[in-house]
Amino acid sequence: MKAYIGSLLVLLLMGSINVWAQGDDDAVIFKAMEDEMNRGMKELKQADSKPICCIGVNAVYGRTFMVRGILGGIIQSDIIPVSYGSVNVLAGDYNFTSQIKYPNELERHQLFSLPVVPDYDQIRRGIWGAMDATYKNAQKQIYRKQAYFDNIVIPEEEKKIIPFPKIEPVSRIVEPRDVYSIDQAYWENYIKELSGIFKNYKDVIFSSIYVMGKDLEIYQMNTEGIKVKQPVRFVYLFCNASIRDAEGVSSNYQLTESAICPQDMPSLDEMKKKVTDMAETLVKMKNAPKFEGDYTGPVLYLDDACQTFLLGGDLFGVSSRYVAARKTEDPGLYSQYKPTLENKIGQSVTHTALTVKNYSSMYDYKGFKLMGAYEVDAEGIIPEKEMTLIEKGVLKQPLSSRTRSVYTEKSTGSMRWTGNGSSIVCPGTLHVSADKGYSQEELKKMLIKEAKKQKLNCAYIVRGNSGAYFEEIYRVNLKTGEETLVFAAQTPRESWGWMGSAMAFSEEEGIVNIPAFELPVSLIYPNGVLFKKAKISEIKEKEKPMILTRPLDR
């Protein structure tokens, strides 16, 4: 009862948030940020200190919700107001600042708490405390950085560039396009019904499901003339279940769904079918013939299994190799620097049939709502609406932030806000397309033909269900084309670069929204990829059996 009373109080608070977010309190927030920034520029001084290059302040207001369930029971149900800010002070000047970062790392600044309902004096007080600490740290950092640079040889090509160039002032208020509606009672019943499905499947030894979402508005302002308000919002459902055979070999199935707003998520009936299919597939897999040994030969990836290469990490995210980065930005992390592919501009980096474009403000594609759309990045830079990153396998340009590298002349406006107030260089909507495609039926015929050519006695197809991080691997009979599901088989976690060894691609496309790192990103990709030589191996890891039987099995 106390939990529900608490939820009611939170809902009342959220009602007040919705009122101010649409009213004049935007002016209160921006005014408090501006006044405290200007005071900081005038009064933040110490003996022997470096001057301030610029000050940036961000404020995040909104709400987050979570409902989690296991076997028909709700174990968590929250709606929580969100109100916090961050400050960044850069000492020095545009030729040499205290900034230390890599564009493909999550960028975080000094955080501070904000009142749930905006108040001019309280906002200024929060900024004041964080700004003082950030300023002192910036002074320490710039001297440390200078001492480090005095003892290394800086390449001549890096001496010629301005690492942190000035930017044009931008004033932009971006309002949400849709209402973000949270019906907590609806989602509690939704999760209760879905998680309860697994009570009917005793072969599933573990299962859980949750839905979470964030509805945020980010205010950003700096002393260079940036004044922006924009939404960051998404909802994400995650369902996890696993089986284990008598020998201790396990298989784990992860089903996900995501959308911009809760009302855009699949209906309860649609998700019931998906979760039931998920449980049925796990049971079917446990009873399927066991894969043994290793296989090297043609493999056809179909449907969501093709996301494997896009989610491998080096196409976008913290480990992306398609961003611009500076090696000498951080003395403490110099030895950990991971080179990117920016020095390959004009060279082939993947299959010659593939072109990759980035859309920043495309809100839908063929009727599918894209969560990757944004109009201004976290540094106040307006990105091009469309940019070609790779054309017919050749790298044309990497994504970049304001921080210059030897190979970039300007930012692509790709420093994006995440749902936790940090930022990272990342695409909006990535569109991977092939200049020639085939139907899935044609790809299967090509698979069989290639396997016969390599004198193999079978071939394999890897399938993925919609929204599933789970591969169903099928053995293909080369005479009949019949497919047989196998158990205890796995494919290597290959990266995007592996696409260069593909034979052919599907003419059909898959579309998915992925809140990676709580960063709304959308992907459009060929939903069929045929490889001439790929590996499939036996899962040999085994877990010890549980000592006690499950309560459901008694």
Side-chain angles (χ1 to χ4, degrees):
M1 178 61 71
K2 291 182 180 179
Y4 282 97
I5 292 174
S7 296
L8 178 60
L9 291 173
V10 168
L11 285 170
L12 292 173
L13 280 172
M14 295 319 302
S16 66
I17 288 177
N18 287 336
V19 170
W20 70 254
Q22 298 170 7
D24 295 333
D25 283 341
D26 283 3
V28 172
I29 296 171
F30 280 125
K31 179 63 174 171
M33 293 164 70
E34 181 179 21
D35 288 350
E36 201 59 26
M37 282 193 311
N38 290 339
R39 189 167 78 99
M41 289 295 290
K42 293 177 182 178
E43 300 179 14
L44 277 176
K45 295 178 183 178
Q46 285 182 316
D48 300 322
S49 65
K50 298 288 185 180
I52 295 176
C53 177
C54 61
I55 299 174
V57 179
N58 307 311
V60 181
Y61 277 97
R63 53 187 175 163
T64 180
F65 82 99
M66 166 80 79
V67 179
R68 188 187 302 269
I70 295 177
L71 297 176
I74 300 300
I75 61 174
Q76 181 181 356
S77 180
D78 302 310
I79 301 180
I80 302 174
V82 174
S83 55
Y84 64 88
S86 64
V87 173
N88 187 32
V89 177
L90 289 183
D93 56 37
Y94 287 100
N95 291 308
F96 192 86
T97 74
S98 56
Q99 178 199 38
I100 292 180
K101 69 173 184 179
Y102 295 131
N104 53 335
E105 284 196 329
L106 288 172
E107 175 79 358
R108 292 186 175 90
H109 304 309
Q110 182 73 39
L111 297 179
F112 61 91
S113 298
L114 286 173
V116 173
V117 178
D119 177 89
Y120 175 81
D121 292 326
Q122 291 186 45
I123 293 174
R124 286 195 64 176
R125 185 185 184 283
I127 296 172
W128 161 74
M131 187 182 298
D132 184 82
T134 308
Y135 170 77
K136 292 173 182 175
N137 184 66
Q139 292 297 329
K140 292 178 182 178
Q141 194 63 66
I142 195 168
Y143 280 106
R144 174 172 171 252
K145 182 177 175 179
Q146 184 63 65
Y148 172 76
F149 274 42
D150 289 342
N151 288 283
I152 66 170
V153 177
I154 300 176
E156 288 298 320
E157 61 268 22
E158 290 202 11
K159 291 181 180 179
K160 299 177 183 178
I161 63 176
I162 300 175
F164 194 73
K166 293 182 179 181
I167 57 175
E168 295 295 323
V170 170
S171 181
R172 179 74 65 92
I173 303 298
V174 182
E175 298 293 352
R177 297 168 70 91
D178 299 299
V179 174
Y180 193 99
S181 176
I182 303 174
D183 184 339
Q184 199 75 347
Y186 170 82
W187 287 108
E188 287 177 355
N189 179 68
Y190 192 98
I191 296 301
K192 181 178 180 180
E193 291 282 333
L194 294 181
S195 64
I197 290 173
F198 292 103
K199 289 193 293 186
N200 301 319
Y201 295 89
K202 294 185 178 182
D203 285 322
V204 177
I205 61 171
F206 171 82
S207 66
S208 69
I209 184 168
Y210 69 80
V211 61
M212 64 86 67
K214 291 194 174 183
D215 175 23
L216 308 176
E217 289 188 309
I218 297 182
Y219 298 77
Q220 59 189 116
M221 201 172 199
N222 68 23
T223 52
E224 299 172 286
I226 300 301
K227 180 181 178 181
V228 175
K229 171 190 158 186
Q230 59 183 316
V232 172
R233 49 204 343 225
F234 61 87
V235 59
Y236 176 70
L237 182 144
F238 180 84
C239 182
N240 188 32
S242 61
I243 57 170
R244 186 184 302 158
D245 71 2
E247 297 180 3
V249 178
S250 299
S251 184
N252 189 51
Y253 196 136
Q254 297 178 353
L255 176 68
T256 67
E257 292 288 343
S258 55
I260 301 171
C261 297
Q263 60 269 26
D264 296 325
M265 292 287 281
S267 68
L268 177 56
D269 287 340
E270 289 176 297
M271 282 307 300
K272 277 185 175 180
K273 183 179 185 308
K274 287 191 175 187
V275 173
T276 299
D277 289 345
M278 171 184 183
E280 293 284 352
T281 299
L282 282 169
V283 173
K284 183 180 177 182
M285 177 167 284
K286 181 179 179 181
N287 298 317
K290 194 171 182 180
F291 180 91
E292 295 180 343
D294 295 296
Y295 168 89
T296 301
V299 175
L300 175 59
Y301 284 76
L302 294 177
D303 304 320
D304 282 14
C306 299
Q307 293 177 24
T308 301
F309 321 113
L310 295 171
L311 302 177
D314 67 350
L315 188 58
F316 71 89
V318 177
S319 301
S320 175
R321 300 187 68 204
Y322 292 86
V323 301
R326 285 179 56 79
K327 185 174 183 178
T328 54
E329 280 300 306
D330 190 337
L333 295 177
Y334 185 89
S335 62
Q336 300 177 30
Y337 169 78
K338 296 179 181 179
T340 69
L341 293 176
E342 59 177 331
N343 63 337
K344 301 293 185 181
I345 294 175
Q347 299 179 40
S348 178
V349 293
T350 188
H351 199 287
T352 56
L354 294 179
T355 293
V356 180
K357 293 187 177 183
N358 178 52
Y359 308 123
S360 61
S361 55
M362 179 182 285
Y363 285 90
D364 69 87
Y365 183 76
K366 296 182 179 180
F368 186 93
K369 289 185 178 181
L370 302 172
M371 67 164 55
Y374 69 103
E375 296 186 25
V376 57
D377 82 347
E379 295 180 311
I381 296 172
I382 298 174
E384 296 179 25
K385 291 186 177 181
E386 177 182 319
M387 62 188 82
T388 300
L389 306 180
I390 298 172
E391 185 175 21
K392 295 184 178 180
V394 176
L395 180 63
K396 293 297 182 180
Q397 64 174 325
L399 296 175
S400 61
S401 70
R402 180 179 178 178
T403 303
R404 294 285 171 83
S405 78
V406 175
Y407 305 96
T408 58
E409 296 181 357
K410 62 178 183 178
S411 170
T412 57
S414 301
M415 181 65 84
R416 300 199 51 210
W417 288 114
T418 71
N420 60 20
S422 60
S423 56
I424 186 173
V425 171
C426 208
T429 295
L430 271 186
H431 189 179
V432 181
S433 61
D435 59 8
K436 184 178 181 180
Y438 302 87
S439 68
Q440 291 193 357
E441 183 179 350
E442 289 174 318
L443 288 174
K444 184 175 179 180
K445 290 179 180 178
M446 294 168 69
L447 168 76
I448 293 173
K449 182 179 180 180
E450 182 61 31
K452 290 179 178 179
K453 182 179 178 181
Q454 295 184 29
K455 300 186 184 306
L456 299 171
N457 56 18
C458 67
Y460 285 90
I461 293 178
V462 182
R463 296 183 182 275
N465 289 324
S466 176
Y469 295 99
F470 175 77
E471 295 175 336
E472 299 172 37
I473 300 179
Y474 293 83
R475 182 181 293 119
V476 180
N477 186 302
L478 301 185
K479 293 181 179 180
T480 65
E482 180 183 1
E483 300 177 23
T484 303
L485 181 66
V486 296
F487 179 54
Q490 63 184 352
T491 61
R493 291 300 172 196
E494 299 287 359
S495 62
W496 156 256
W498 193 42
M499 293 282 271
S501 62
M503 284 180 61
F505 303 90
S506 170
E507 62 188 3
E508 301 170 15
E509 292 181 319
I511 312 172
V512 65
N513 287 321
I514 302 173
F517 318 108
E518 294 196 5
L519 173 69
V521 173
S522 301
L523 302 172
I524 307 168
Y525 58 93
N527 68 354
V529 184
L530 173 60
F531 292 95
K532 185 174 184 178
K533 277 195 178 294
K535 295 181 179 180
I536 296 177
S537 60
E538 177 184 354
I539 298 176
K540 296 182 179 180
E541 296 81 7
K542 297 180 180 179
E543 301 179 32
K544 293 182 179 181
M546 301 290 289
I547 298 174
L548 295 175
T549 59
R550 290 190 318 158
L552 291 178
D553 296 336
R554 291 185 301 170

